[in-house]
């Protein structure tokens, strides 16, 4: 059945009543009238009234035989985004069900995004999370995208390519995952038309010519098969089926072959009445023509993830030509064409049950993980990873079949079973033999996971695991561990600072005053404050100063003393100003990756052959080390040794005459010395000024940055680490 463009409401109603005689026709007409009124005066790029778009979308949903609320939502899907209509109005006139569906497909137009990619990612995140609650959202979105692709010729070439690429990366794979092959193939061919117009035109012409030449051959083949079925008293509707253009293009690219070398441009499809007859017909076809070794696939016994079922076999037909046969039942064919939508009308609206549960399990996983995948682009990459995968089928020791993406490893399998099994996986046996954890799984493997309570995830696993679930779980484990380490380090730094100020450590950590300080910074609990100290985003001395109000006066006096004595301070070897626990006669150097200066919370790390490397507590490189606590050394600044330290400061400013002189003057007013300066201008009439400046400590640095930011035209100034 081909999708036809709906242009009138009466056509839509007639199409809906063909499969749903009891449909609420009055509601469909009301939705059409509401949409017509809301979009009145709006035109599409093609010049036709905008109303034709929602009507066409509703027609595609009727082709998929969806229920009335979904089709009504299709008619209204752009009203909230593009007109004065509101969510409350839709809910009042058409009910919560329809309003929720429209909200699920409405783009997020009110939020400012940094880039198109970020907007695309956030829109898709919203749709995926809505899909998990009601899968009809994605049917509406696919129908919307299909009609937009069908009318893409009216947009600019750059816009055509952008939309086609997005469709090829997201929406066509999504249609495939849902088993809606009719929409998937249409979308892919349209994408090819705009992304590779020359290849599309060539294939369209040559396939049509080849089909004309092979028509006689195919008719002969179908007649032979039909005669054989009749003699064997087997029922079967036989038809030739041309392959869609994008699948031919993919094969040519993947196998690096020419069009002439693609032998299976068309296939013969046999639709029968029972699963038993599928296998009987398969045997009959193999008795007529010899099968090609390795070209038989049984998707009946082992359906694809999108519920696709069929027997595929390639045989050497008459004249030595290869021909692919696809054998399936009528029910299988219906599901293969329409996917989950094929039996949507028999279910409770929005519900997903039975075999369909398998199709949407990955969506629920994304809902589970979306808090961990806070970055929209990371979320998007994770979705694409699952949408595009080919699969292998492996078995648990109890014989349960598990579907995994091609390239999956035992670690992926372990996390697919349970998070705890993945976290504690130490090894695996495939078919009774031990294999490395990076071993790639093959269909038919029987897999046993070996665990140990002492085992924990390794960052190295991220280099070879395949599934987004495994990647997310491993990253989540390290995030939790990092929080634990930050809490431990922060507590140690605070305890050390409390002892310096003769404060009782245990009582102070539990004091109400410390909780007040945390809440003043917008934190709910003291542990979050301690973690900030552990990450290096807050110094222990800052917390102590707030605990002891008088220390703020002392701090100001010390700060002014630094200014007064600025001219007397001479540069010293920076590492001389660091003291470590256990002695001072230690070879050490300040790490170049974070360039610590007095006032930064610091920690020493014993390197191999290079002595002690001093890092700021929040340095990513320090956190990325193995965290062997035996190699971590407590370190602090020696307040008795005065000296200057070089820091890099980057200033973003308006590109105006005299701005460099004004900033240099501000730095000089803070008794700081510039040792190097680099200036570059940008296309947006802004300039970036990078300075290397000698300062005494972080207080001196903060005061200097504030002074720079007060200069007219300065947008911001910031310290640069690792320069």
């Amino acid at each position: 059945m081909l999708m036809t463009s709906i242009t009138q409401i009466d056509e839509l109603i007639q199409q809906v009543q063909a499969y749903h005689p009891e449909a609420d026709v009055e509601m469909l007409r009301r939705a059409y009238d509401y949409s017509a009124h809301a979009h009145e005066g709006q035109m599409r790029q093609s010049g036709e009234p905008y109303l034709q778009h929602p009507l066409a979308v509703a027609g595609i949903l009727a082709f998929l035989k969806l229920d009335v609320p979904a089709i009504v939502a299709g008619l209204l899907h752009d009203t909230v985004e593009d007109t004065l209509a509101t969510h409350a109005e839709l809910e009042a006139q058409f009910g919560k069900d329809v309003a929720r569906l429209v909200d699920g497909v409405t783009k997020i137009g009110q939020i400012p995004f940094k880039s198109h990619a970020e907007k695309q990612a956030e829109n898709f995140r919203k749709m995926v999370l809505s899909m998990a609650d009601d899968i009809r959202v994605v049917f509406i979105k696919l129908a919307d995208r299909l009609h937009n692709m069908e009318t893409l010729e009216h947009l600019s070439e750059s816009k055509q390519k952008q939309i086609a690429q997005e469709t090829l990366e997201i929406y066509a794979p999504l249609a495939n995952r849902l088993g809606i092959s009719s929409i998937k193939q249409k979308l892919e061919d349209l994408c090819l038309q705009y992304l590779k117009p020359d290849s599309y035109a060539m294939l369209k012409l040559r396939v049509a010519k080849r089909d004309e030449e092979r028509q006689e051959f195919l008719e002969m083949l179908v007649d032979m098969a039909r005669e054989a079925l009749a003699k064997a008293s087997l029922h079967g509707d036989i038809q030739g089926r041309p392959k869609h253009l994008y699948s031919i293009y993919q094969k040519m690219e993947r196998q690096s072959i020419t069009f002439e070398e693609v032998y299976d441009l068309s296939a013969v499809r046999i639709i029968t009445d029972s699963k038993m007859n599928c296998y009987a017909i398969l045997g009959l076809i193999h008795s007529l023509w010899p099968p090609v070794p390795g070209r038989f696939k049984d998707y009946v016994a082992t359906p694809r993830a999108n519920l696709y079922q069929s027997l595929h076999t390639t045989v050497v037909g008459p004249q030595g030509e290869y021909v692919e046969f696809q054998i399936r039942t009528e029910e299988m064919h219906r599901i293969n064409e329409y996917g989950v939508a094929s039996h949507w009308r028999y279910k409770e609206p929005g519900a997903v049950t039975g075999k369909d549960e398998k199709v949407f399990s990955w969506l629920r996983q994304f809902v589970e993980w979306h808090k961990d995948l806070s970055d929209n682009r990371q979320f998007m990459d994770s979705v694409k990873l699952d949408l595009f995968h080919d699969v292998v089928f492996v078995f648990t020791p109890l014989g349960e079949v598990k579907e995994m993406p091609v390239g999956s490893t035992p670690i992926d399998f372990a996390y697919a079973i349970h998070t705890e099994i993945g976290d504690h996986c130490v090894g695996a046996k495939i078919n009774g033999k031990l294999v490395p954890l990076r071993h790639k799984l093959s269909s038919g493997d029987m897999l046993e996971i070996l665990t140990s309570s002492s085992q924990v995830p390794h960052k190295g696993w991220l280099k070879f695991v395949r599934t987004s679930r495994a990647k997310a779980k491993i990253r989540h484990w390290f995030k939790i561990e990092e929080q634990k380490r930050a809490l431990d380090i922060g507590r140690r730094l605070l305890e050390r600072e409390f002892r310096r100020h003769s404060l009782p450590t245990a009582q102070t950590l539990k004091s109400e005053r410390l909780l007040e300080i945390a809440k003043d910074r917008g934190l709910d609990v003291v542990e979050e404050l301690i973690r900030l100290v552990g990450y290096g985003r807050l110094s222990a001395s800052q917390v102590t100063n707030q605990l002891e109000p008088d220390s703020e006066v002392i701090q100001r006096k010390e700060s002014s003393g630094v200014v007064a004595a600025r001219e007397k301070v001479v540069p010293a070897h920076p590492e001389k100003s660091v003291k470590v626990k256990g002695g001072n006669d230690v070879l050490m150097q300040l790490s170049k990756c974070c360039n610590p200066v007095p006032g930064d919370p610091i920690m020493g790390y014993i390197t191999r052959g290079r002595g002690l490397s001093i890092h700021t507590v929040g340095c990513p490189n320090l956190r990325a080390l193995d965290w062997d606590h035996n190699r971590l050394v407590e370190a602090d600044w020696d307040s008795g040794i005065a000296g200057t330290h070089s820091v890099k400061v980057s200033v973003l400013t308006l590109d105006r005459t005299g701005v460099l002189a004004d900033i240099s003057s501000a730095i000089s007013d803070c008794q700081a010395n510039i040792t190097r300066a680099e200036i570059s201008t940008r296309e947006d009439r802004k300039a970036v000024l990078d300075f290397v400046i000698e300062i005494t400590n972080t207080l001196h640095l903060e005061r200097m940055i504030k002074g720079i930011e007060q200069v007219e035209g300065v947008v911001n100034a910031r310290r640069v680490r690792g320069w």
Side-chain angles (χ1 to χ4, degrees), residues 318-341:
Q319 304 169 19
E321 292 206 35
Y322 284 16
V323 181
E324 183 185 60
F325 279 84
Q326 297 176 356
I327 309 166
R328 60 185 68 158
T329 66
E330 292 178 4
E331 171 70 7
M332 293 174 193
H333 180 64
R334 184 167 60 83
I335 293 175
N336 296 349
E337 288 296 301
Y338 303 105
V340 177

Side-chain angles (χ1 to χ4, degrees), residues 423-607:
D423 286 346
H424 300 300
C425 176
V426 292
K429 288 183 179 181
I430 290 183
N431 304 323
K433 295 181 180 179
L434 282 170
V435 296
L437 290 178
R438 61 173 62 242
H439 177 88
K440 292 185 178 180
L441 306 180
S442 300
S443 284
D445 284 344
M446 197 283 284
L447 196 60
E448 179 185 355
I449 298 298
L450 308 176
T451 61
S452 168
S453 58
S454 61
Q455 173 71 318
V456 295
H458 292 275
K459 280 197 173 178
W461 289 359
L462 290 170
K463 295 178 181 178
F464 59 80
V465 293
R466 174 68 174 81
T467 61
S468 56
R469 176 180 176 83
K471 289 178 186 290
K473 292 298 182 183
I474 294 167
R475 289 192 182 107
H476 181 66
W477 188 90
F478 278 102
K479 180 181 178 181
I480 297 301
E481 287 302 302
E482 190 175 88
Q483 290 174 349
K484 290 178 182 176
R485 286 196 292 266
L487 190 64
D488 179 53
I489 292 172
R491 184 175 283 111
R492 286 158 58 189
L493 289 171
L494 284 171
E495 287 175 349
R496 184 175 66 185
E497 191 69 16
F498 292 164
R499 285 194 292 269
R500 284 181 56 195
H501 289 260
S502 301
L503 294 170
T505 56
Q507 293 92 319
T508 306
L509 283 171
K510 296 178 181 178
S511 67
E512 287 295 322
R513 176 60 186 145
L514 199 61
L515 179 59
E516 289 174 12
I517 292 171
K519 289 186 174 179
D520 287 344
R521 292 180 175 272
L523 307 174
D524 294 327
V525 292
V526 171
E527 282 74 12
E528 292 181 29
L529 181 74
I530 297 173
R531 272 199 292 269
L532 282 183
V533 175
Y535 283 130
R537 298 170 190 161
L538 179 68
S539 70
S541 60
Q542 286 177 287
V543 176
T544 308
N545 289 343
Q546 286 187 269
L547 283 168
E548 295 184 319
D550 291 342
S551 66
E552 294 180 9
V553 178
I554 296 169
Q555 193 71 46
R556 283 197 296 272
K557 289 179 180 178
E558 289 177 351
S559 179
S560 61
V562 168
V563 175
R566 176 68 183 87
E567 294 180 359
K568 300 177 184 179
V569 174
V570 294
H573 294 292
E575 61 273 11
K576 298 289 187 183
S577 58
V578 176
K579 56 184 179 179
V580 298
K581 186 176 181 180
N584 293 323
D585 190 16
V586 180
L587 175 66
M588 71 176 78
Q589 63 279 328
L590 301 182
S591 173
K592 297 294 184 185
C593 59
C594 53
N595 297 101
V597 299
D600 287 329
I602 55 176
M603 181 71 71
Y605 183 81
I606 302 172
T607 65

Side-chain angles (χ1 to χ4, degrees), residues 9 13 24-32 68 71-72 75:
I9 183 61
I13 290 172
D24 188 344
V25 172
E26 189 271 335
M27 187 179 188
L28 288 170
R29 289 194 183 278
R30 277 196 298 113
Y32 173 80
V68 169
I71 296 172
V72 167
L75 286 167

Side-chain angles (χ1 to χ4, degrees), residues 230-419:
K231 286 182 180 179
S233 299
L234 291 172
H235 168 74
D237 177 29
I238 308 176
Q239 53 191 245
R241 181 191 68 87
K243 287 201 169 184
H244 69 295
L245 301 184
Y246 185 73
S247 68
I248 299 171
Y249 171 80
Q250 272 189 311
K251 177 168 285 192
M252 290 169 61
E253 289 290 304
R254 187 171 58 246
Q255 299 180 9
S256 299
I257 58 178
T258 64
F259 177 79
E260 286 71 22
E261 294 173 286
V262 181
Y263 57 81
D264 53 351
L265 289 175
S266 56
V268 176
R269 179 178 291 159
I270 302 177
I271 300 175
T272 187
D273 54 2
S274 70
K275 187 185 294 187
M276 184 180 296
N277 279 348
C278 286
Y279 290 99
I281 292 172
L282 174 70
L284 182 63
I285 296 299
H286 284 178
S287 70
L288 292 174
W289 302 288
V292 178
R295 296 281 298 176
F296 168 65
K297 294 177 182 176
D298 187 347
Y299 295 120
V300 172
T302 311
R304 286 176 177 168
N306 60 10
L307 307 183
Y308 179 92
Q309 285 186 289
S310 188
L311 297 177
H312 289 197
T313 185
T314 301
V315 301
V316 182
Q319 304 169 19
E321 292 206 35
Y322 284 16
V323 181
E324 183 185 60
F325 279 84
Q326 297 176 356
I327 309 166
R328 60 185 68 158
T329 66
E330 292 178 4
E331 171 70 7
M332 293 174 193
H333 180 64
R334 184 167 60 83
I335 293 175
N336 296 349
E337 288 296 301
Y338 303 105
V340 177
S342 63
H343 45 101
W344 180 257
R345 59 191 182 280
Y346 303 119
K347 298 182 178 297
E348 283 293 318
V352 177
T353 58
K355 292 190 297 182
D356 302 344
E357 185 72 27
K358 182 180 179 183
V359 181
F360 305 113
S361 60
W362 63 282
L363 286 176
R364 289 192 175 84
Q365 289 171 358
F366 281 124
V367 175
E368 176 190 343
W369 305 335
H370 84 278
K371 290 181 181 178
D372 296 333
L373 300 176
S374 56
D375 179 74
N376 287 326
R377 296 298 299 278
Q378 186 182 358
F379 179 87
M380 194 71 159
D381 292 340
S382 187
V383 174
K384 288 179 183 178
L385 184 69
D386 273 16
L387 285 180
F388 274 116
H389 76 242
D390 292 321
V391 298
V392 295
F393 297 96
V394 295
F395 296 89
T396 69
L398 298 177
E400 182 184 353
V401 179
K402 286 286 181 182
E403 174 195 303
M404 304 295 297
V406 167
S408 292
T409 66
I411 295 290
D412 293 291
F413 180 84
Y415 277 109
I417 301 296
H418 195 278
T419 301

